C-alpha cells in the first residue's frame, strides 16, 4: 500500500493516487492543521470518499494512537443510562470526527470504503430505531410513536419490558473491542439478533467513546438529535459528505408548515386525551393524567385555528405575509409565551404517551399528530431567545385541501414560519468550539452561495478536475434543433408547439445516435408532461408521431411524480435497457427529481444526459418570492463592505446547481464515458457556463448547427467504442489500478438503495455500442454505413425530396456512395431514399442490425482532391495526384491506384488539375455565390485542410454545407473531391466512397 507524505503527515492510500487525489488530501489536511473550514468539490469517480477518510484518519493518527478497549460500569438501568469509561484517558484532547452523509445507504458505502483502508479507528454508526430496533412489537411502529413505545418499555419492569435494552451493559463489558473493526448498521442488527443486546442503545453507548462517528445529517442539523449526542464538541471535526443539498436541509429543519388538516387532527387527539384520562380516573382511580390540562391544550388549538381562519388574505397568489417576529404576537394572543411554552410541551408529551398506551391496547399504530405541535413550539421558542426570528417570515396561504383527509375540493389554510438563513442550523458549531467543518460533494458548483448562505468562513476551497481523459467526455451546447429553430425553455417559448416539436425531433436524433441508456431532464414536471403529450399527438393521419419515432430507437420510461412508484420505474428502465430487441432505453426525468439525485447511471445505464432547459424555481411560489425579497433586503444595508448574495444571484445559482446534479448522473468512474448535451441557447453564455461544474467547463463546445452536433457526437461514440477506456479490464483495474470512489462495476452496486438495478451489464462494454436496425439503410449484402445513424429526424414520413441519396454497389465492389448534405443530387442511376426518418424504410432495412461501431479496428482514409488551383503546387501530391493521409499510428494508407483497382473505379476518375488562372476564376465564382461571412468560412476551411488543423471528413461536411443551395451546386463540380474510406470491420474490409459534387 503506497504511503504519501502530505504536509508532514504520512497518508496510507490503497492505490497509486492520481494528482487530483493528492491535491484533495492536501486540502483536507490543511483544513485540519490550520483549524479552518473547507469547501471541496471533486467529481464522482475521483475517489473523494476514500481520500477524505485516508487524509482525516492519517492526521488523527499523527496525534496519537486510536482508542482501544471499553470497560462498562452499570448505572441506573431504569433511566436508560450507563456509565462508560475508556482504557485511554478521556482528557487526552484528541479530536472526535463526525462523518455525516445524507442517507443510511450513502453511509453504508462510506463504511465499505473505510474497510479498504489500512486505518482502524474505533467507530460506530448512529441510526434511528426504525433501522436498529429488534423488538418484535416496537420495530413495527414508526416515528414518535415508535420512540415513545421504546422509552415506555425501557422504563418498565416485570413481564412487559424490553429485554434487549437490559443486555447492553453486559455485552459491552464482555466485548470491549467492538467498533475497532468497521461495523455497519446491518452488523449491529445481526449482533442484536444473535446475542441479544439492543442495537440502538448499543450504538448510543458506543458513540461516547469512539474516534469517528458516522451519522445521517439530521443528527447534526436537528437541535434535538444534536443535543442527545454525548460528544466532546470542542476540537471536533465535522464532515458533511454529499453536501450539495445542505442549504435546503438546514432551512427545512428550522422551518415549519402547519396545514389546517394537521391542526384539526391535533384538536381531535387532544379531545381523545380528555376522554381517556376521565375514563382512567373513573375506572382505576388513576389521577396521573389531568383532564383539565388536555382541555386547555384543546382550547388553545381551537383558538389558533380560529386565528388562522380570520387572517385577511386579499390575494390567493400573494397570501398573507408578516415579518418573522409576528409569530410571537400571534401566539401571545393564545397566551403561549416563553414561560408557558415549556409547560405546553410537557402536556403534549404526557398526551402522546397516553395515546400510545391506548393504541397499544387497541393494536393500532397510528402516528401521534400532537408531537408536531411540540416540535413547532421548540423551533419558535428555541433556547428562550427571539433574535433568530429576524431571519424568518410568517406566511398564511390558501390551498386546496389534501385529498387524503376527506376534504378534497374545500379551501384549506396553511400557517408557515419559513427560515431564510440556513446558517441558523450551523451557528452552534463555532460556539461549541468545533475545530473544522468540511463540506464536500461531487456537485457544489457554483460555490459562492455556500459560504454566504451558511454564514461560515471557508478559506480553503477546491474545485477538482476529473480523473478521466478528454476522449471520455463529450459536452456541447445545442442552441438550435434540426430545423434551425432556437432552443430556449423560458416561459416565452416553452409553450409553443414549434419549440416542443423541435425538441422532440432533436431527441429522435439523439436516441438514434446514443448507445444504450439516454437520460433526458426537463426543468419541471409540467414541461415534461406538456412535451410528451405534444410528441404523442399526430398532426395528420399519414405521419408518424414524434413519440413513436423515439420509441423505435429506445424504449421510454417516465419519472413518476409519486415517490411510491419510483422503484418500479427504475426497474422498468433497467428491464428495457437490457432488452436485446431494442437499442437501449430513454428515461424522461426532472431536474431536482429522484432520478437526478443520488442514483448511479454508470456505464451502459447512462451514456448521455440531455438538459432541455434551466430548472428555475417557480418565481410566483411564495417561498421562492419571499426568499428573493429577504436576500435583497439583507444586501442593501451592507454596502460594499461584505459580499452578500442577492435574490437574483441565489435564484440563478439554485438552477445551475440542479443542472450540475443532473449531469453528474453520467461518467461515474475512471473508466466510464458519456455525453452531456445542453439543449438550450442560454448555456452558450459565458456567465452560465461559469456556473457549470469546473471539471466539465473545459470540454464544453458551442455548436451553431444541429448537423455539427450529430456528426461530432456520432464520431465520439464511434471512437470511444473503438479506443475507449472501457476496454480495460475492470477486474484488472480493481486489483492494480485506482478506480477511486467506485472501484469497479461490481463494487458500487450497493451504493444507493436502487443500485442493484443500475449495475452494469456482464457483457464487455464495447459490445453495448451496437445499434438496432430501425434506422438502417436498405443494404442487401450487409454492406452498411454508420452514416445512416446521423441524418436529421425533423420529418416523420417519406417524401420526394432529392436531398438524400444512397447508392449501394455490388458485394464484389463493396463500394457505397453516401451523400452527406441535403439537396445535392448524386448520380442519376442511384436509388433515392429520404433519410429524414430512416426508421420508416422497408422491412429489409427494419430488421437488419448495424454492425457494432465498437468492432471497427481501424479507419484508413485516402483521397485525391483538386486543391492545386487554390494553394499552388504542393509536395504532398504524388505523381498520380494522390494524397496519402496518415492514420494516428503514422501508418500510410493505401494508394489511390490500389483503391481504384479494389473498388473498380474508372481510370478517368482522377480530377483534372487546373492552373492558377482557373483557380482564380473559380474563387471569383465562389466569392460571388457566397456571402462575405460564408466566404471567410470557406477560406478558413481550405487553410485548415492544408495545415491539417481539421480532419478531411470535417472539411468535407462543412464545405458541402456551404454549397448546399441550388444555385451553388455547380461549384461543387469545380472542387472535384473523391474520397475513399477503407474500413476494416472484424477482419473483413468494406469500402465506402463518399462523393460530393
Amino acid at each position: 500500500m503506497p504511503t504519501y507524505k502530505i504536509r508532514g503527515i504520512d497518508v496510507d492510500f490503497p492505490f497509486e493516487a492520481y494528482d487530483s487525489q493528492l491535491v484533495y488530501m492536501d486540502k483536507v489536511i490543511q483544513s485540519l492543521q490550520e483549524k479552518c473550514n473547507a469547501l471541496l468539490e471533486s467529481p464522482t469517480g475521483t475517489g473523494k470518499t476514500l481520500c477524505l477518510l485516508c487524509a482525516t484518519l492519517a492526521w488523527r493518527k499523527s496525534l496519537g494512537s486510536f482508542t482501544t478497549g471499553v470497560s462498562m460500569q452499570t448505572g441506573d438501568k431504569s433511566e436508560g443510562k450507563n456509565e462508560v469509561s475508556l482504557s485511554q484517558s478521556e482528557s487526552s484532547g484528541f479530536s472526535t470526527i463526525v462523518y455525516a452523509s445524507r442517507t443510511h445507504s450513502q453511509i453504508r458505502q462510506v463504511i465499505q470504503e473505510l474497510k479498504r483502508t489500512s486505518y482502524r479507528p474505533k467507530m460506530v454508526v448512529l441510526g434511528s430505531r426504525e433501522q436498529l430496533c429488534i423488538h418484535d412489537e416496537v420495530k413495527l411502529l414508526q416515528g414518535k410513536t415508535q420512540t415513545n413505545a421504546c422509552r415506555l418499555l425501557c422504563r418498565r419492569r416485570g413481564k412487559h419490558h424490553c429485554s434487549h435494552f437490559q443486555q447492553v451493559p453486559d455485552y459491552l463489558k464482555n466485548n470491549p473491542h467492538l467498533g475497532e473493526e468497521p461495523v455497519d448498521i446491518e452488523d449491529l442488527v445481526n449482533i442484536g439478533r444473535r446475542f441479544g443486546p439492543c442495537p440502538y442503545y448499543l450504538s448510543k453507548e458506543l458513540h461516547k467513546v469512539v474516534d469517528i462517528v458516522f451519522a445521517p445529517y439530521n443528527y447534526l442539523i436537528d437541535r434535538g438529535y444534536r443535543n442527545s449526542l454525548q460528544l466532546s464538541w470542542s476540537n471536533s471535526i465535522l464532515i458533511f459528505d454529499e453536501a450539495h443539498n445542505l442549504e435546503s436541509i438546514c432551512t427545512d429543519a428550522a422551518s415549519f408548515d402547519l396545514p389546517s388538516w394537521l391542526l384539526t387532527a391535533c384538536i381531535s387527539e387532544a379531545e381523545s386525551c380528555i376522554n381517556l384520562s376521565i375514563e382512567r380516573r373513573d375506572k382505576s382511580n388513576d389521577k396521573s393524567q389531568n383532564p383539565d390540562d388536555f382541555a386547555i391544550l384543546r382550547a388553545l388549538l381551537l383558538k389558533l385555528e380560529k386565528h388562522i381562519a380570520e387572517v385577511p388574505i386579499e390575494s390567493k397568489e400573494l397570501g398573507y405575509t408578516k415579518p418573522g417576529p409576528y409569530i410571537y404576537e400571534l401566539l401571545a394572543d393564545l397566551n403561549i409565551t416563553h414561560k408557558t411554552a415549556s409547560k405546553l410541551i410537557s402536556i403534549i408529551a404526557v398526551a402522546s404517551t397516553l395515546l400510545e398506551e391506548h393504541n397499544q391496547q387497541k393494536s393500532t399504530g397510528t402516528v401521534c399528530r400532537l408531537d408536531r405541535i411540540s416540535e413547532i413550539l421548540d423551533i419558535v421558542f428555541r433556547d428562550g431567545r427571539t433574535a433568530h426570528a429576524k431571519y424568518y417570515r410568517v406566511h398564511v396561504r390558501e390551498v386546496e385541501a389534501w385529498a387524503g383527509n376527506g376534504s378534497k375540493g374545500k379551501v384549506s389554510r396553511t400557517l408557515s414560519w419559513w427560515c431564510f438563513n440556513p446558517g441558523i442550523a450551523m451557528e452552534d458549531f463555532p460556539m461549541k468550539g468545533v475545530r473544522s467543518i468540511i463540506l464536500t460533494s461531487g456537485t457544489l458548483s457554483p460555490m459562492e452561495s455556500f459560504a454566504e448562505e451558511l454564514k461560515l468562513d471557508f478559506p480553503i476551497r477546491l474545485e477538482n478536475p476529473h480523473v478521466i481523459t478528454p476522449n471520455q467526455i463529450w459536452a456541447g451546447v445545442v442552441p438550435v434543433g434540426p430545423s434551425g429553430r432556437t432552443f430556449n425553455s423560458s416561459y416565452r417559448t416553452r409553450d409553443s408547439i414549434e419549440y416542443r416539436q423541435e425538441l422532440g425531433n432533436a431527441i429522435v436524433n439523439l436516441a438514434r445516435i446514443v448507445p444504450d441508456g439516454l437520460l433526458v431532464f426537463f426543468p419541471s414536471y409540467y414541461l415534461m408532461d406538456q412535451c410528451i403529450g405534444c410528441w404523442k399527438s399526430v398532426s395528420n393521419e399519414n405521419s408518424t408521431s414524434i413519440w413513436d419515432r423515439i420509441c423505435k430507437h429506445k424504449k421510454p420510461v417516465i419519472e413518476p411524480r409519486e415517490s411510491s412508484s419510483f422503484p418500479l420505474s427504475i426497474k422498468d428502465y433497467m428491464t428495457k435497457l437490457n432488452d436485446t430487441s431494442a437499442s437501449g432505453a430513454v428515461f424522461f426525468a426532472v431536474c431536482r427529481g429522484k432520478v437526478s439525485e443520488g442514483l448511479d447511471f454508470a456505464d451502459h445505464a447512462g451514456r448521455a444526459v440531455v438538459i432541455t432547459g434551466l430548472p428555475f424555481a417557480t418565481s410566483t411560489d411564495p417561498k421562492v418570492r419571499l426568499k428573493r425579497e429577504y436576500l435583497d433586503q439583507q444586501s442593501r444595508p451592507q454596502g460594499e463592505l461584505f459580499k452578500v448574495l442577492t435574490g437574483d444571484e441565489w435564484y440563478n445559482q439554485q438552477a445551475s446547481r440542479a443542472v450540475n446534479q443532473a449531469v453528474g448522473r453520467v461518467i461515474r468512474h475512471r473508466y466510464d464515458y458519456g455525453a452531456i448535451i445542453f439543449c438550450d441557447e442560454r448555456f452558450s453564455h459565458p456567465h452560465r457556463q461559469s456556473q457549470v461544474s469546473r471539471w466539465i467547463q473545459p470540454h464544453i463546445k458551442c455548436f451553431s448547427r444541429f448537423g455539427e452536433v450529430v456528426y461530432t457526437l456520432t464520431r465520439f461514440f464511434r471512437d470511444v467504442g473503438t479506443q475507449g477506456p472501457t476496454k480495460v479490464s475492470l477486474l484488472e483495474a480493481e486489483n492494480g489500478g485506482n478506480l477511486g470512489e467506485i472501484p469497479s462495476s461490481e463494487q458500487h452496486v450497493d451504493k444507493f438503495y436502487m443500485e442493484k438495478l443500475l449495475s452494469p451489464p456482464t457483457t464487455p462494454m464495447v459490445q453495448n455500442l451496437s445499434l438496432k436496425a430501425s434506422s438502417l439503410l436498405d443494404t442487401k449484402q450487409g454492406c452498411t454505413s454508420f452514416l445512416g445513424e446521423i441524418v436529421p429526424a425533423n420529418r416523420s414520413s417519406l417524401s420526394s425530396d432529392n436531398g438524400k441519396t444512397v447508392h449501394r454497389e455490388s458485394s464484389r465492389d463493396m463500394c457505397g456512395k453516401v451523400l452527406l448534405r441535403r439537396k445535392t443530387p448524386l448520380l442519376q442511376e442511384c436509388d433515392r431514399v429520404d433519410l429524414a426518418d430512416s426508421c420508416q424504410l422497408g422491412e429489409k432495412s427494419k430488421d437488419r442490425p448495424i454492425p457494432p461501431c465498437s468492432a471497427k479496428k481501424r479507419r484508413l482514409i485516402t483521397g485525391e482532391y483538386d486543391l492545386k488551383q487554390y494553394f499552388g503546387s504542393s509536395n504532398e501530391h504524388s505523381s498520380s495526384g494522390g494524397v496519402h493521409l496518415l492514420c494516428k499510428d503514422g501508418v500510410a494508407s493505401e494508394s489511390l491506384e490500389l483503391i481504384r483497382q479494389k473498388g473498380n473505379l474508372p481510370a478517368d476518375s482522377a480530377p483534372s488539375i487546373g492552373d492558377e488562372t482557373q483557380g482564380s476564376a473559380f474563387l471569383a465564382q465562389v466569392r460571388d455565390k457566397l456571402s462575405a461571412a460564408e466566404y471567410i468560412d470557406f477560406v478558413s476551411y481550405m487553410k485548415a485542410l492544408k495545415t491539417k488543423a481539421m480532419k478531411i471528413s470535417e472539411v468535407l461536411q462543412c464545405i458541402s454545407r456551404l454549397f448546399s443551395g441550388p444555385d451553388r451546386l455547380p461549384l461543387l463540380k469545380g472542387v472535384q473531391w473523391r474520397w475513399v474510406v477503407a474500413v476494416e470491420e472484424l477482419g473483413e474490409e468494406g469500402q465506402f466512397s463518399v462523393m460530393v459534387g
Side-chain angles (χ1 to χ4, degrees):
M1 182 174 290
T3 299
Y4 299 92
K5 185 171 286 293
I6 304 175
R7 292 182 173 268
I9 305 294
D10 290 332
V11 181
D12 295 332
F13 201 69
F15 311 104
E16 294 293 336
Y18 300 119
D19 290 342
S20 61
Q21 293 173 328
L22 295 174
V23 171
Y24 186 93
M25 290 189 284
D26 178 85
K27 293 297 183 182
V28 172
I29 294 176
Q30 180 186 358
S31 169
L32 302 178
Q33 290 178 335
E34 297 179 4
K35 298 184 179 182
C36 57
N37 304 327
L39 206 56
L40 311 177
E41 179 185 78
S42 193
T44 300
T46 55
K48 167 175 55 68
T49 301
L50 196 61
C51 293
L52 192 56
L53 287 171
C54 289
T56 305
L57 294 175
W59 172 83
R60 165 59 183 83
K61 190 176 181 180
S62 69
L63 302 178
S65 59
F66 293 128
T67 302
T68 57
V70 175
S71 61
M72 295 293 301
Q73 296 179 356
T74 304
D76 186 357
K77 295 183 180 181
S78 64
E79 296 295 328
K81 295 179 180 178
N82 297 299
E83 295 179 5
V84 184
S85 63
L86 299 180
S87 59
Q88 291 186 9
S89 171
E90 289 190 41
S91 59
S92 61
F94 293 149
S95 301
T96 301
I97 304 166
V98 183
Y99 193 114
S101 195
R102 197 161 52 91
T103 63
H104 282 289
S105 56
Q106 290 172 342
I107 292 175
R108 187 182 305 119
Q109 177 65 20
V110 175
I111 302 301
Q112 294 302 315
E113 294 295 306
L114 177 62
K115 292 178 180 179
R116 300 169 65 193
T117 72
S118 63
Y119 299 102
R120 290 296 177 263
K122 195 172 188 67
M123 54 80 65
V124 72
V125 181
L126 296 179
S128 66
R129 289 176 173 86
E130 291 184 15
Q131 279 92 25
L132 292 169
C133 182
I134 58 174
H135 190 277
D136 292 337
E137 297 176 0
V138 178
K139 69 180 181 181
L140 302 177
L141 305 175
Q142 293 180 343
K144 282 282 188 178
T145 304
Q146 186 181 54
T147 301
N148 294 334
C150 173
R151 289 173 176 170
L152 184 64
L153 290 176
C154 291
R155 286 196 301 264
R156 281 182 174 177
R157 287 286 180 272
K159 185 177 180 181
H160 297 288
H161 73 286
C162 181
S163 61
H164 302 292
F165 170 74
Q166 305 295 332
Q167 298 180 52
V168 170
D170 291 338
Y171 184 83
L172 283 176
K173 183 178 180 180
N174 296 328
N175 297 272
H177 298 288
L178 179 64
E180 293 174 20
E181 285 294 322
V183 290
D184 201 354
I185 283 180
E186 287 77 7
D187 299 322
L188 291 174
V189 171
N190 290 334
I191 289 174
R193 288 173 177 167
R194 186 176 179 183
F195 302 105
C198 171
Y200 175 77
Y201 281 101
L202 203 60
S203 65
K204 282 200 69 174
E205 295 299 331
L206 201 57
H207 92 273
K208 307 171 186 175
V209 295
V210 296
D211 300 303
I212 183 168
V213 178
F214 296 93
Y217 279 170
N218 58 326
Y219 276 80
L220 296 180
I221 302 302
D222 186 276
R223 293 174 63 255
Y225 279 112
R226 186 167 67 236
N227 293 335
S228 70
L229 297 179
Q230 298 183 34
L231 294 175
S232 175
W233 293 103
S234 178
N235 207 37
S236 62
I237 311 297
L238 304 187
I239 298 173
F240 290 88
D241 199 359
E242 302 297 337
H244 48 270
N245 287 328
L246 189 60
E247 293 168 276
S248 60
I249 291 172
C250 288
T251 53
D252 290 345
S255 306
F256 73 79
D257 292 299
L258 181 60
S260 296
W261 67 265
L262 179 58
L263 190 53
T264 302
C266 292
I267 293 170
S268 178
E269 288 183 349
E271 191 168 349
S272 297
C273 289
I274 295 173
N275 297 331
L276 287 172
S277 59
I278 293 175
E279 182 180 344
R280 284 193 175 191
R281 187 176 59 182
D282 294 342
K283 285 187 176 181
S284 57
N285 199 27
D286 183 358
K287 298 182 180 180
S288 58
Q289 288 93 18
N290 187 353
D292 293 340
D293 290 340
F294 305 134
I296 293 172
L297 174 62
R298 178 178 176 272
L300 290 176
L301 295 177
L302 283 170
K303 195 172 181 180
L304 176 60
E305 184 180 48
K306 183 180 178 182
H307 271 56
I308 295 174
E310 291 176 349
V311 166
I313 298 180
E314 298 179 358
S315 169
K316 187 175 181 180
E317 181 178 306
L318 297 177
Y320 177 82
T321 305
K322 285 284 188 179
Y326 175 76
I327 193 71
Y328 299 109
E329 296 180 31
L330 179 65
L331 296 177
D333 289 341
L334 311 178
N335 197 28
I336 301 176
T337 62
H338 282 88
K339 294 181 179 179
T340 60
S342 56
K343 173 63 176 176
L344 200 56
I345 292 173
S346 300
I347 293 174
I348 292 174
V350 175
S352 181
T353 303
L354 181 61
L355 290 171
E356 172 55 35
E357 292 176 350
H358 175 71
N359 290 336
Q360 279 190 340
Q361 293 175 359
K362 299 293 183 180
S363 299
T364 58
T366 55
V367 178
C368 180
R369 304 292 186 184
L370 278 171
D371 287 325
R372 183 55 183 159
I373 302 297
S374 179
E375 294 170 0
I376 289 172
L377 293 175
D378 187 54
I379 291 173
V380 174
F381 298 101
R382 52 179 289 173
D383 302 330
R385 296 177 295 161
T386 60
H388 62 292
K390 64 183 178 182
Y391 304 120
Y392 285 76
R393 294 292 181 271
V394 177
H395 187 77
V396 180
R397 65 189 185 279
E398 287 185 345
V399 294
E400 185 175 323
W402 178 45
N405 63 8
S407 309
K408 187 176 181 181
K410 297 181 181 179
V411 175
S412 172
R413 289 192 171 191
T414 298
L415 170 67
S416 301
W417 202 47
W418 289 326
C419 175
F420 294 128
N421 176 15
I424 281 183
M426 308 288 286
E427 65 181 5
D428 282 351
F429 296 130
M431 292 187 291
K432 289 178 178 289
V434 170
R435 181 187 186 99
S436 299
I437 300 175
I438 299 176
L439 306 186
T440 185
S441 176
T443 50
L444 287 179
S445 298
M447 284 189 170
E448 291 80 7
S449 66
F450 268 89
E452 294 159 15
E453 284 275 84
L454 295 176
K455 300 295 184 276
L456 293 174
D457 183 27
F458 290 93
I460 298 176
R461 302 187 187 187
L462 173 67
E463 292 181 76
N464 232 355
H466 214 298
V467 293
I468 61 172
T469 56
N471 69 336
Q472 292 172 249
I473 179 176
W474 185 101
V477 179
V478 186
V480 297
S483 298
R485 292 191 178 92
T486 301
F487 283 142
N488 189 312
S489 69
S490 66
Y491 68 93
R492 297 182 184 89
T493 57
R494 66 188 177 200
D495 289 328
S496 68
I497 190 71
E498 293 80 11
Y499 166 77
R500 295 171 183 173
Q501 289 180 342
E502 191 79 346
L503 180 61
N505 286 325
I507 291 175
V508 172
N509 274 281
L510 298 175
R512 179 186 294 129
I513 298 168
V514 176
D516 301 316
L518 174 64
L519 309 176
V520 181
F521 287 99
F522 292 85
S524 64
Y525 282 106
Y526 167 80
L527 189 56
M528 180 176 71
D529 294 341
Q530 292 297 312
C531 285
I532 292 176
C534 173
W535 300 341
K536 288 182 178 180
S537 64
V538 181
S539 57
N540 59 71
E541 296 180 358
N542 297 324
S543 62
T544 303
S545 69
I546 294 174
W547 184 255
D548 289 338
R549 291 158 57 208
I550 292 174
C551 295
K552 286 182 179 179
H553 300 296
K554 295 194 183 298
K555 296 187 175 182
V557 178
I558 303 173
E559 180 180 7
R561 291 174 183 259
E562 303 80 16
S563 298
S564 58
S565 304
F566 182 68
L568 293 177
S569 66
I570 289 290
K571 187 176 182 180
D572 185 31
Y573 176 71
M574 294 310 301
T575 301
K576 292 178 177 178
L577 186 64
N578 295 318
D579 186 351
T580 56
S581 66
S583 61
V586 54
F587 210 137
F588 294 102
V590 174
C591 291
R592 296 191 184 92
K594 284 190 171 294
V595 175
S596 68
E597 291 275 346
L599 285 178
D600 252 350
F601 289 89
D603 302 318
H604 79 310
R607 282 296 174 218
V609 57
V610 178
I611 304 296
T612 64
L614 285 162
F616 289 111
T618 306
S619 58
T620 57
D621 181 273
K623 198 170 186 179
V624 174
R625 176 174 54 81
L626 292 175
K627 171 73 173 184
R628 296 176 72 175
E629 291 177 1
Y630 166 82
L631 289 174
D632 288 338
Q633 292 172 3
Q634 292 292 309
S635 63
R636 288 191 194 111
Q638 302 291 338
E640 297 182 359
L641 297 178
F642 302 97
K643 167 62 177 171
V644 179
L645 200 67
T646 66
D648 284 343
E649 288 173 339
W650 170 84
Y651 189 64
N652 278 276
Q653 290 185 9
Q654 291 298 309
S656 297
R657 188 166 295 120
V659 168
N660 291 334
Q661 270 299 104
V663 300
R665 298 311 95 204
V666 296
I667 311 183
R668 303 293 294 182
H669 58 81
R670 171 67 181 86
Y671 297 103
D672 203 355
Y673 63 89
I676 299 169
I677 307 164
F678 299 101
C679 288
D680 194 306
E681 64 169 351
R682 290 173 291 180
F683 284 106
S684 61
H685 302 156
H687 79 279
R688 187 62 62 190
Q689 289 186 23
S690 68
Q691 295 186 350
V692 175
S693 293
R694 182 68 61 87
W695 70 272
I696 300 175
Q697 291 181 25
H699 306 287
I700 298 177
K701 295 181 180 178
C702 295
F703 298 89
S704 59
R705 298 179 179 89
F706 189 80
E708 296 172 352
V709 174
V710 169
Y711 174 75
T712 58
L713 192 58
T714 302
R715 189 179 60 183
F716 166 76
F717 282 112
R718 180 197 63 202
D719 292 346
V720 78
T722 338
Q723 312 163 13
T726 50
K727 299 183 74 172
V728 177
S729 167
L730 289 180
L731 180 60
E732 177 185 351
E734 179 185 344
N735 293 334
N738 178 10
L739 293 187
E741 196 169 8
I742 304 178
S744 73
S745 59
E746 311 241 338
Q747 284 191 339
H748 71 277
V749 168
D750 272 339
K751 187 173 184 183
F752 304 111
Y753 74 101
M754 295 304 298
E755 286 205 23
K756 289 186 179 179
L757 295 172
L758 292 177
S759 58
T762 56
T763 55
M765 227 46 96
V766 292
Q767 295 181 9
N768 293 327
L769 288 178
S770 57
L771 302 178
K772 188 62 183 170
S774 57
S775 59
L776 223 31
L777 307 181
D778 187 0
T779 52
K780 297 180 181 179
Q781 300 296 332
C783 177
T784 58
S785 170
F786 189 67
L787 292 172
E789 286 298 298
I790 63 171
V791 294
N794 56 339
R795 284 176 292 164
S796 59
S797 60
L798 297 176
S799 71
S800 59
D801 187 2
N802 296 334
K804 295 234 173 1
T805 307
V806 178
H807 178 66
R808 182 197 55 79
E809 298 287 352
S810 65
S811 59
R812 184 172 59 184
D813 297 345
M814 296 188 69
C815 181
K817 299 184 177 78
V818 182
L819 179 65
L820 296 180
R821 182 62 185 167
R822 296 184 59 185
K823 297 183 180 179
T824 310
L826 262 180
L827 304 177
Q828 296 297 320
E829 67 270 22
C830 297
D831 298 331
R832 296 185 181 277
V833 183
D834 177 21
L835 299 184
D837 191 6
S838 55
C839 62
Q840 296 204 11
L841 297 175
E843 293 299 323
K844 293 182 180 179
S845 65
K846 191 175 295 184
D847 297 326
R848 189 183 300 277
I850 280 185
C853 54
S854 58
K856 299 176 183 179
K857 295 180 180 178
R858 60 192 176 97
R859 184 169 181 256
L860 302 177
I861 303 177
T862 92
E864 63 174 354
Y865 50 91
D866 186 2
L867 293 179
K868 188 175 181 180
Q869 53 185 317
Y870 311 136
F871 300 130
S873 61
S874 172
N875 57 8
E876 292 179 349
H877 288 71
S878 65
S879 58
S880 62
V883 177
H884 299 279
L885 304 178
L886 296 181
C887 298
K888 290 181 181 179
D889 55 5
V891 180
S893 60
E894 301 176 60
S895 68
L896 179 62
E897 185 61 35
L898 176 60
I899 293 179
R900 276 208 194 102
Q901 295 172 4
K902 296 177 73 175
N904 292 333
L905 295 177
D908 62 354
S909 61
S912 60
I913 308 298
D915 56 24
E916 293 182 5
T917 303
Q918 291 174 321
S920 299
F922 177 76
L923 288 178
Q925 295 176 24
V926 171
R927 190 180 292 108
D928 290 339
K929 296 294 184 181
L930 300 181
S931 66
E934 289 174 330
Y935 182 76
I936 293 174
D937 288 343
F938 172 80
V939 173
S940 65
Y941 292 145
M942 303 308 291
K943 289 182 179 179
L945 183 60
K946 180 180 180 181
T947 60
K948 298 183 180 179
M950 291 177 65
K951 293 184 178 180
I952 294 172
S953 54
E954 295 176 353
V955 176
L956 275 172
Q957 193 175 33
C958 293
I959 293 184
S960 64
R961 187 180 300 114
L962 289 177
F963 295 114
S964 61
D967 59 333
R968 302 175 183 178
L969 292 179
L971 295 177
L972 285 175
K973 298 178 181 179
V975 183
Q976 292 187 357
W977 289 332
R978 285 189 176 91
W979 300 98
V980 179
V981 180
V983 183
E984 209 175 79
E985 278 189 81
L986 299 174
E988 180 180 0
E989 285 193 348
Q991 298 173 3
F992 304 93
S993 175
V994 182
M995 303 181 63
V996 183

